[in-house]
């Protein structure tokens, strides 16, 4: 394998072997485990310089502010974006809601179209439904081909009347990577803006907002080694400058009067109230850890493990794997014939293998796949072939327990 996963696992306290042996974590698409470097950075903040930011003039308040703003610059650099466009949010969902409300309510009208894909996570579907209901805009979806790739053959037609294209970069179910740069070019030709849901791509491949050509990029810290409760919306500064705030409160204002208020400049205009300072500092540590391992290597490692996992599972009689047969990310959804995913997951847990079972916040996609739910195994930089072996052995056990034919 490309990465020294066994050695990297030593950096993650939760993944270390116990006297009972080693458990295998295959649910990193839901959330990733945290390395010592991140845990220490967060602890250091709370133990040594915990203070609110942008307010106090005493020493530790200055240090907290400095580190928080340093985190903004480091994370912006990680995605090749202007730091003035980097807004800290709670997660991807909040980042997408920010754009849906702050941009959508003022820029969408009756008959306008928001173009998504047929495989969107509910976080990149429901906010648009809410805003469409209030503005009279409509949703439309780019269809998928048999393997789950976007079918772009009718893209020019699909772009008719479109004001916003909001698409995921990497699927959280199918293991596909969407050709975002190509879609963004076509969208810009018709004057539409492009939001990329990077929740599953930013953690596992090099992502550069200039190369993608997107106007907005949303992602979550907890899916890339950072703590929960910190996420990012990056937006082009000139677009953000024209948008009204999403949330009002302290920190985001210039002058406040009973008659009205003025706003701070971006990005602070979009950060109402006390931010998650420890989370941002943890995200900076996570980004530094990922850069040290190397995003290119992480992407290749995941591809190799994802392909291996899909191939090995496909070889088992009665196991159906969704998504492409060729190149894919390390996210593999599957079903075992006649066995409910929750039962599969429970047997796997008894074998010391943790996977996710359910609809993975993708109900419309599961309807398209004609199943109510699926099992999902997802790898990250701390997994290796041994983990794939353990998964396959555990699925074999499911086949035995439930007497799956074949
Ligand atoms: C593709 C995709 N988009 C959005 C989200 C939402 O992320 P969060 O729950 O951190 O807001 C997820 C999380 O599973 C995801 O996989």
């Amino acid at each position: 394998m490309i990465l020294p996963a066994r050695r990297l696992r030593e950096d993650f306290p939760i993944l270390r072997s116990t006297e009972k042996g080693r458990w295998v974590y295959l649910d990193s698409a839901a959330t990733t485990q945290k390395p010592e470097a991140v845990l220490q950075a967060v602890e250091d903040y709370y133990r040594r310089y915990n203070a609110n930011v942008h307010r106090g003039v005493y020493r530790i308040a200055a240090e907290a502010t400095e580190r928080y703003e340093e985190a903004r610059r480091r994370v912006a650099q990680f995605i090749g974006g202007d730091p003035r466009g980097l807004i800290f949010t709670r997660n991807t969902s909040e980042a997408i809601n920010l754009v849906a409300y702050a941009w959508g309510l003022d820029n969408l009208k009756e008959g306008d179209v928001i173009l998504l894909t047929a495989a969107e996570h509910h976080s990149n579907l429901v906010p648009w439904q809410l805003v469409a209901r209030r503005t009279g805009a409509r949703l439309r979806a780019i269809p998928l081909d048999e393997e789950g790739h976007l079918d772009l053959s009718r893209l020019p037609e699909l772009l008719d009347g479109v004001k916003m294209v909001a698409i995921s970069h990497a699927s959280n179910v199918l293991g596909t990577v969407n050709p975002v740069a190509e879609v963004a070019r076509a969208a810009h030709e018709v004057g539409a803006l492009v939001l990329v849901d990077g929740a599953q791509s930013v953690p596992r491949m090099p992502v550069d907002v200039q190369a993608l050509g997107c106007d907005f990029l949303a992602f979550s810290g907890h899916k890339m080694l950072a703590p929960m409760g910190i996420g990012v919306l990056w937006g082009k500064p000139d677009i953000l400058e024209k948008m009204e705030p999403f949330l009002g409160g302290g920190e985001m204002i210039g002058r406040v009067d009973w008659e009205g208020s003025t706003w701070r400049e971006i990005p602070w205009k979009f950060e109402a109230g006390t931010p998650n300072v420890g989370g941002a500092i943890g995200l900076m540590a996570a980004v530094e850890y990922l850069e040290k391992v190397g995003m290119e290597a992480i992407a290749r490692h995941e591809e190799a493990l994802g392909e291996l996992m899909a191939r090995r599972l496909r070889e088992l009689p009665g196991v159906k794997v969704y998504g492409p047969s060729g190149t894919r990310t390390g996210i593999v959804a599957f079903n075992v014939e006649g066995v409910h995913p929750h039962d599969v997951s429970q047997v796997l847990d008894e074998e010391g293998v943790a996977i996710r079972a359910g609809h993975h916040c993708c109900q419309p996609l599961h309807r398209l796949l004609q199943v109510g739910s699926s099992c999902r195994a997802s790898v990250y930089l701390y997994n290796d072939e041994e983990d794939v072996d353990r998964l396959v052995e555990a699925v074999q056990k499911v086949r035995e327990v439930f007497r799956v034919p074949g």
Side-chain angles (χ1 to χ4, degrees):
M1 275 302 124
I2 288 94
L3 295 176
R6 187 191 290 246
R7 185 169 60 68
L8 292 176
R9 275 200 291 275
E10 289 303 310
D11 294 338
F12 294 77
I14 208 171
L15 295 177
R16 285 178 198 149
S17 304
T18 64
E19 61 280 6
K20 287 196 203 125
R22 185 167 79 79
W23 71 295
V24 174
Y25 184 67
L26 292 175
D27 196 19
S28 290
T31 200
T32 57
Q33 300 303 344
K34 321 301 175 200
E36 288 283 8
V38 168
L39 300 173
Q40 275 168 16
V42 176
E43 189 179 333
D44 183 44
Y45 162 68
Y46 282 112
R47 281 185 185 277
R48 211 174 49 74
Y49 61 101
N50 172 51
N52 214 327
V53 289
H54 303 138
R55 292 172 201 193
V57 289
Y58 48 93
R59 201 173 40 79
I60 62 167
E63 185 173 356
T65 302
E66 210 173 283
R67 293 285 284 162
Y68 180 68
E69 290 304 325
E70 186 188 351
R72 191 189 309 281
R73 290 191 297 277
R74 287 291 288 112
V75 178
Q77 190 183 38
F78 183 68
I79 53 161
D82 184 332
R84 287 183 310 137
L86 195 128
I87 298 155
F88 284 122
T89 61
R90 281 189 301 141
N91 47 37
T92 304
S93 305
E94 187 178 271
I96 295 172
N97 275 275
L98 192 163
V99 180
Y101 283 91
W103 180 87
L105 287 183
D106 285 337
N107 289 281
L108 293 169
K109 57 178 189 332
E110 182 87 38
D112 285 346
V113 178
I114 304 156
L115 185 64
L116 313 173
T117 79
E120 291 311 316
H121 188 281
H122 299 164
S123 291
N124 193 33
L125 169 56
V126 178
W128 299 111
Q129 285 176 335
L130 289 165
V131 167
R133 205 186 287 169
R134 295 198 14 201
T135 57
R138 288 178 291 130
L139 304 188
R140 191 182 287 154
I142 304 176
L144 309 179
D145 69 14
E146 301 260 291
E147 290 218 316
H149 293 294
L150 291 189
D151 175 2
L152 296 180
S153 57
R154 289 176 42 238
L155 186 60
E157 276 167 63
L158 290 171
L159 280 169
D160 186 39
V162 170
K163 292 286 168 0
M164 170 62 77
V165 177
I167 61 170
S168 49
H169 191 183
S171 166
N172 64 317
V173 176
L174 297 167
T176 46
V177 179
N178 293 327
V180 169
E182 184 185 342
V183 176
R185 263 193 308 277
H188 286 148
E189 271 171 30
V190 301
L193 294 187
V194 177
L195 175 140
V196 174
D197 172 353
Q200 297 296 352
S201 62
V202 176
R204 49 177 49 81
M205 61 191 73
V207 172
D208 181 291
V209 290
Q210 314 297 335
L212 290 184
C214 60
D215 301 292
F216 300 102
L217 174 71
F219 55 100
S220 297
H222 71 93
K223 292 185 196 286
M224 50 191 288
L225 310 181
M228 290 192 178
I230 188 77
V232 169
L233 172 73
W234 181 84
K236 281 186 181 156
D238 58 323
I239 300 173
L240 291 175
E241 265 157 9
K242 286 189 215 117
M243 283 161 53
E244 287 289 309
F246 171 43
L247 300 171
E251 278 305 288
M252 47 75 71
I253 42 80
R255 181 192 161 92
V256 178
D257 274 311
W258 284 115
E259 294 73 35
S261 305
T262 60
W263 321 130
R264 274 182 87 180
E265 63 274 31
I266 60 163
W268 303 286
K269 175 170 89 174
F270 293 103
E271 291 182 1
T274 299
N276 183 353
V277 180
I281 288 165
L283 179 55
M284 167 160 64
V287 160
E288 281 165 0
Y289 185 95
L290 289 170
E291 281 180 339
K292 225 181 303 158
V293 176
M295 290 310 295
E296 222 16 281
I298 292 171
R300 281 187 292 117
H301 182 77
E302 278 226 6
E303 266 174 29
L305 278 182
E307 282 177 49
L308 178 68
M309 202 155 54
R311 183 167 55 72
R312 297 275 313 274
L313 287 171
R314 277 197 173 106
E315 282 166 7
L316 300 178
V319 175
K320 166 122 185 104
V321 174
Y322 306 102
S325 49
T327 310
R328 57 182 308 141
T329 64
I331 299 173
V332 179
F334 63 96
N335 266 314
V336 182
E337 208 179 292
V339 189
H340 193 279
H342 283 157
D343 293 331
V344 175
S345 169
Q346 205 166 343
V347 174
L348 263 57
D349 185 45
E350 281 157 22
E351 299 297 304
V353 178
I355 62 155
R356 170 95 178 252
H359 51 61
H360 322 304
C361 300
C362 272
Q363 287 185 13
L365 173 63
H366 277 83
R367 245 164 253 134
L368 213 64
L369 298 172
Q370 299 181 325
V371 288
S373 56
S374 62
C375 307
R376 183 184 69 184
S378 52
V379 296
Y380 206 32
L381 45 83
Y382 35 61
N383 296 111
D384 54 19
E385 292 109 321
E386 197 183 300
D387 297 356
V388 177
D389 288 342
R390 291 272 303 269
L391 170 72
V392 174
E393 282 159 22
V395 176
Q396 279 286 27
K397 181 80 190 256
V398 173
R399 294 186 59 252
E400 283 159 33
V401 171
F402 290 92
R403 296 198 174 87
V404 178

